[in-house]
Amino acid sequence: MSLQTTLLVALALMFSCMQVLGEDSPKKDSFTMQDIFQLSYASNPLMDRTGERVVYTRHSMDIMHDQRRANLWQIDIASGQQHPVTTGPVSASSPALSPAGNRVAYIKKENDASQLYVSWLDSGQVAQLTSLPEAPGNLSWSPDGRWLAFSMLVRREPPTMGELPTKPEGAEWAPPPVVVDRTTYRRDGSGEKPYGFQHVFVVSADGGSLRQLTNGDFNHSGNIVWAADSDALFISANRNSDWEINVVNTDIYRVDLDNGEILALTDRQGPDGSLAISADGKRLAFTGWDDTLMAYNINRLYVMNVDGSDRRELLPDLDRSIRNPQWSTDGRRVFFQYDDQGKTVLAAVDLGGDMEILAEDLGGTSIGRPYTGASFAVGGKDVFAFTSGTTESPANISVGRRGRDDTKQITSLSNNMLAHRDLATIEELELRSSVGDLDIQAWIAKPPGFDPKNKYPLIMEIHGGPHAAYGPHFAAEIQLFAAAGYVVVYANPRGSSSYGEAFGNLIHHNYPSQDYDDLMSVVDATIELGFVDPERLFVTGGSGGGTLTAWIVGKTNRYRAAVVAKPVINWTSFVLTADNPAYFSRYWFESFPWENQDNYWQRSPLSLVGNVTTPTMLLTGEEDLRTPMPETEQFYQALKLRGVDTAMVRMPMAAHGIANRPSQLIGKVAAILAWFEQYDVNAQSDSHN
């Protein structure tokens, strides 16, 4: 059976599992590929200063246009009543709530142009404030409600090489040569970078002309906060002379609104950003780290006076990466989030360094795979809202109040469908790695109708990053694998985030390495539970997980089949062709490829291709600039030349986020299951001989 035929059969089988509308059956149906289009989830909550109203982004899937849609909704916490702020097929993004809490600014893209809009929450009136040549970002209201600040690209003329003669009128010449003179000249997801720099602008909240505040050949891409008197801005930017190579070295600056004078408030090697200002305007909170060229660094939380004095770290003993600091309205503490052992935690710390945990079930914003990911907001009276998720549901909005142990979920966006699906159950698995006596955390997804007396095929799914983390979160891909009858195991091997800086740096300048042993230990521990057939093992992963999958099939032949998604195959070609060579060469290796080629080659899966016998399919987006298609093509051709059973699936119009569109997620899963099915059939045939 051909791969194409098998893929069509797999799709037909999946769609046949759909619930028949109107059918009255006590038995729940399995989660199907078609159900992807019925998923909704929440993100980016905002809260007013009374602590009474939440504005959030509601995401849905458009089956007719194969797009994710995003609209803003508001909720009255006391009554639970919800009302749309924006409607229609055009997505709203980057919302920012006014200080009075009665207006929300946001960005909408219509006719290939992104513009700044404001909606009045009580009356429903909407105004388009701008007609911009480029997309705005980092929206921020002034405390007096009169101004909106934002960042935007200011284009420059691209370079030329030589002078061309004038084209005769009506002549049809080829486009002129494109000259590249920048280190980073393209970006995954958007392609060729336009020439120019990101600068900060202000516009009246009532609309009108723009004013550019920053200048120079520097990018001012960080978030923006206002001084309490609305006379100055605080920004994070890389205004250093070596910004093109030293890409993470940002500092905090004060920008005078009247004359544009810029004053540096920090000056250290490393990033400073995620700014937040106290309500009285006296202190800034921010995150950052001292750059020692390690691959994995945790964000630390700092406060300082707005003139840059009295800078200090609030939680020096918290070995977790802190994100999204926000001040309480009384200025007594800072709220923040961090990932801990695969979960996202919401916490608060006072200025004396005393920390309290407020919620531990944040998550649910990564729909495809079970990554950590969440957001929150703080309002008046220490009321907070956050995205809460479970293994059975993507993100909803929950609310709570510091000092009370009574958080409650106030939306149920996908419940009408998911409550009637027989979903995989997710159970935690703790084990010791065979190398280094290291504790490893994993999760097992058991298929619907699971019977521990049976023997199931196993899929090991590996996360990317490599400094990222999976956890007990809803994931459509995991659910679809389980619905097809597989036990699925996923883990956080060494190098994963959410376990501290030392754990993350166990693969520093050494990846892949013993993370392979961690993953093999996970499979062994799962087999020991007694319900997995050790002759029916399969493995897949994307990005860093794709790299590890390619490494695995070069190290062992215990798997029946493998799917390598968007991998790095050759570290030399990756570093020199990916979209951020200055970062990858600086933090992931101790030298350049031409200085120590052995170091690059020894960690390249291509170096092991001579060992591969496992049937291995490759799957990558054709527009991927993070792990470019030539990485996939190298491994595919090497496997072909060796006579190993292989196939290459190219996803048209897909960048590194290969499953961003609903049909792409479905196509990815269908291809993986079709490939595995071919070799699972062989395993069943072998068992009868």
Side-chain angles (χ1 to χ4, degrees):
M1 184 182 294
S2 70
L3 176 62
Q4 182 178 14
T5 302
T6 308
L7 176 57
L8 291 174
V9 171
L11 279 169
L13 289 173
M14 283 294 177
F15 288 155
S16 70
C17 295
M18 289 173 53
Q19 181 181 17
V20 179
L21 295 178
E23 181 180 344
D24 184 15
S25 173
K27 185 177 183 300
K28 291 183 178 180
D29 291 312
S30 294
F31 186 74
T32 72
M33 294 186 183
Q34 191 79 0
D35 289 335
I36 298 297
F37 287 103
Q38 302 304 318
L39 291 174
S40 296
Y41 64 99
S43 71
N44 300 321
L46 307 170
M47 289 205 71
D48 64 12
R49 290 187 172 273
T50 67
E52 298 172 352
R53 178 160 53 186
V54 178
V55 175
Y56 74 97
T57 304
R58 180 186 292 190
H59 302 264
S60 60
M61 309 295 176
D62 183 341
I63 192 171
M64 299 306 295
H65 297 92
D66 188 26
Q67 297 287 348
R68 301 190 189 201
R69 302 300 186 194
N71 278 294
L72 304 181
W73 284 67
Q74 61 174 315
I75 310 174
D76 178 80
I77 295 176
S79 67
Q81 290 185 336
Q82 295 197 50
H83 303 284
V85 178
T86 67
T87 59
V90 180
S91 293
S93 62
S94 304
L97 197 62
S98 68
N102 62 339
R103 291 174 289 173
V104 61
Y106 52 92
I107 299 165
K108 289 180 68 173
K109 184 176 183 179
E110 296 186 81
N111 301 320
D112 294 325
S114 295
Q115 302 300 339
L116 178 56
Y117 288 77
V118 169
S119 286
W120 279 255
L121 296 177
D122 296 324
S123 68
Q125 291 181 310
V126 180
Q128 179 179 334
L129 296 190
T130 62
S131 294
L132 302 173
E134 305 291 340
N138 297 312
L139 305 185
S140 180
W141 288 86
S142 63
D144 59 14
R146 296 177 54 202
W147 303 97
L148 279 161
F150 60 91
S151 59
M152 184 178 69
L153 176 71
V154 177
R155 287 186 182 252
R156 296 278 186 90
E157 285 295 320
T160 60
M161 196 68 68
E163 294 186 9
L164 300 178
T166 302
K167 181 175 66 173
E169 184 176 352
E172 296 182 0
W173 289 13
V178 175
V179 178
V180 177
D181 63 358
R182 299 170 294 176
T183 302
T184 301
Y185 59 93
R186 54 186 184 166
R187 187 71 68 192
D188 182 69
S190 57
E192 200 80 11
K193 289 182 61 178
Y195 270 84
F197 295 92
Q198 290 281 335
H199 286 290
V200 176
F201 293 78
V202 291
V203 65
S204 168
D206 297 325
S209 60
L210 309 179
R211 184 156 62 93
Q212 182 177 334
L213 285 185
T214 61
N215 290 281
D217 291 348
F218 305 106
N219 284 305
H220 304 78
S221 305
N223 73 308
I224 304 167
V225 299
W226 287 79
D229 57 10
S230 299
D231 287 340
L233 301 174
F234 297 95
I235 64 173
S236 172
N238 190 339
R239 291 178 57 86
N240 302 291
S241 60
D242 62 348
W243 63 268
E244 194 172 16
I245 298 296
N246 193 0
V247 292
V248 305
N249 189 26
T250 57
D251 292 299
I252 298 172
Y253 298 89
R254 182 186 186 277
V255 184
D256 189 278
L257 193 65
D258 183 42
N259 57 28
E261 181 182 349
I262 297 179
L263 174 66
L265 301 181
T266 62
D267 182 20
R268 67 165 172 178
Q269 181 64 36
D272 292 319
S274 297
L275 311 180
I277 192 166
S278 59
D280 61 8
K282 294 181 179 180
R283 296 184 180 89
L284 286 169
F286 61 99
T287 64
W289 39 270
D290 293 310
D291 191 356
T292 57
L293 300 183
M294 299 297 289
Y296 179 60
N297 299 273
I298 63 171
N299 269 320
R300 301 185 179 277
L301 178 62
Y302 301 89
V303 293
M304 67 180 181
N305 296 331
V306 292
D307 62 0
S309 64
D310 194 26
R311 171 185 155 185
R312 55 198 174 93
E313 186 177 354
L314 281 185
L315 291 166
D317 297 326
L318 179 63
D319 188 22
R320 295 294 185 267
S321 194
I322 293 172
R323 300 196 307 274
N324 194 17
Q326 299 181 34
W327 287 90
S328 60
T329 54
D330 62 10
R332 294 181 178 179
R333 56 189 50 82
V334 178
F335 289 67
F336 60 95
Q337 67 186 68
Y338 64 94
D339 290 346
D340 180 46
Q341 299 186 33
K343 296 182 179 181
T344 302
V345 177
L346 175 62
V349 59
D350 64 24
L351 297 182
D354 291 330
M355 188 184 92
E356 55 185 316
I357 293 175
L358 305 174
E360 297 181 284
D361 58 342
L362 280 70
T365 58
S366 178
I367 295 299
R369 297 197 279 165
Y371 283 110
T372 57
S375 52
F376 77 94
V378 182
K381 305 173 186 176
D382 281 355
V383 177
F384 53 85
F386 60 95
T387 54
S388 58
T390 69
T391 59
E392 297 181 344
S393 174
N396 281 291
I397 297 296
S398 292
V399 296
R401 184 173 178 179
R402 193 188 69 82
R404 297 181 183 177
D405 189 19
D406 59 350
T407 60
K408 63 177 181 178
Q409 182 180 312
I410 58 175
T411 67
S412 298
L413 299 182
S414 291
N415 186 64
N416 190 43
M417 183 264 291
L418 290 177
H420 299 278
R421 293 292 181 267
D422 191 5
L423 298 174
T425 56
I426 311 295
E427 298 179 3
E428 186 176 341
L429 175 66
E430 295 182 346
L431 62 135
R432 288 277 182 141
S433 174
S434 62
V435 174
D437 199 28
L438 197 67
D439 289 328
I440 300 297
Q441 190 177 29
W443 291 266
I444 298 174
K446 297 179 178 178
F450 174 80
D451 184 346
K453 297 178 182 178
N454 291 340
K455 294 287 188 179
Y456 292 88
L458 174 74
I459 295 176
M460 179 171 68
E461 212 287 337
I462 309 171
H463 75 64
H467 304 298
Y470 277 165
H473 310 296
F474 177 85
E477 293 182 31
I478 301 298
Q479 290 292 338
L480 289 172
F481 291 153
Y486 293 88
V487 167
V488 187
V489 65
Y490 58 91
N492 287 333
R494 69 189 68 196
S496 300
S497 58
S498 80
Y499 300 90
E501 201 161 44
F503 187 91
N505 279 316
L506 287 173
I507 61 170
H508 178 65
H509 293 170
N510 190 30
Y511 164 72
S513 58
Q514 285 73 42
D515 40 359
Y516 161 82
D517 300 287
D518 298 341
L519 294 169
M520 295 305 101
S521 298
V522 168
V523 172
D524 292 338
T526 307
I527 292 173
E528 288 176 4
L529 297 175
F531 48 77
V532 167
D533 185 346
E535 299 300 318
R536 300 170 68 194
L537 305 180
F538 302 86
V539 60
T540 187
S543 193
T547 303
L548 274 166
T549 302
W551 186 262
I552 284 168
V553 297
K555 299 281 284 186
T556 180
N557 62 0
R558 71 186 299 189
Y559 292 94
R560 298 291 302 185
V563 176
V564 174
K566 51 186 182 181
V568 173
I569 294 301
N570 182 337
W571 284 110
T572 295
S573 57
F574 165 76
V575 163
L576 298 178
T577 62
D579 63 345
N580 199 350
Y583 179 86
F584 297 130
S585 62
R586 184 180 180 91
Y587 293 98
W588 288 11
F589 291 91
E590 58 188 350
S591 56
F592 293 117
W594 52 89
E595 295 173 341
N596 189 351
Q597 178 58 209
D598 285 346
N599 188 29
Y600 283 73
W601 182 245
Q602 289 169 3
R603 297 300 165 204
S604 295
L606 189 60
S607 71
L608 302 177
V609 74
N611 302 331
V612 179
T613 60
T614 304
T616 301
M617 185 177 80
L618 295 111
L619 189 153
T620 301
E622 290 188 337
E623 298 178 6
D624 192 331
L625 297 178
R626 181 60 44 82
T627 53
M629 182 60 77
E631 293 298 304
T632 289
E633 291 168 337
Q634 288 180 71
F635 207 59
Y636 170 74
Q637 293 292 1
L639 293 173
K640 274 292 187 183
L641 292 172
R642 290 202 59 251
V644 178
D645 197 0
T646 186
M648 178 169 56
V649 177
R650 303 167 69 102
M651 299 286 281
M653 301 175 64
H656 195 63
I658 195 171
N660 281 343
R661 297 178 71 172
S663 72
Q664 291 171 337
L665 191 156
I666 291 171
K668 174 188 175 185
V669 172
I672 292 171
L673 289 175
W675 185 255
F676 289 167
E677 182 185 359
Q678 293 184 68
Y679 300 98
D680 202 18
V681 170
N682 292 341
Q684 293 170 2
S685 298
D686 292 343
S687 67
H688 294 301
N689 294 332

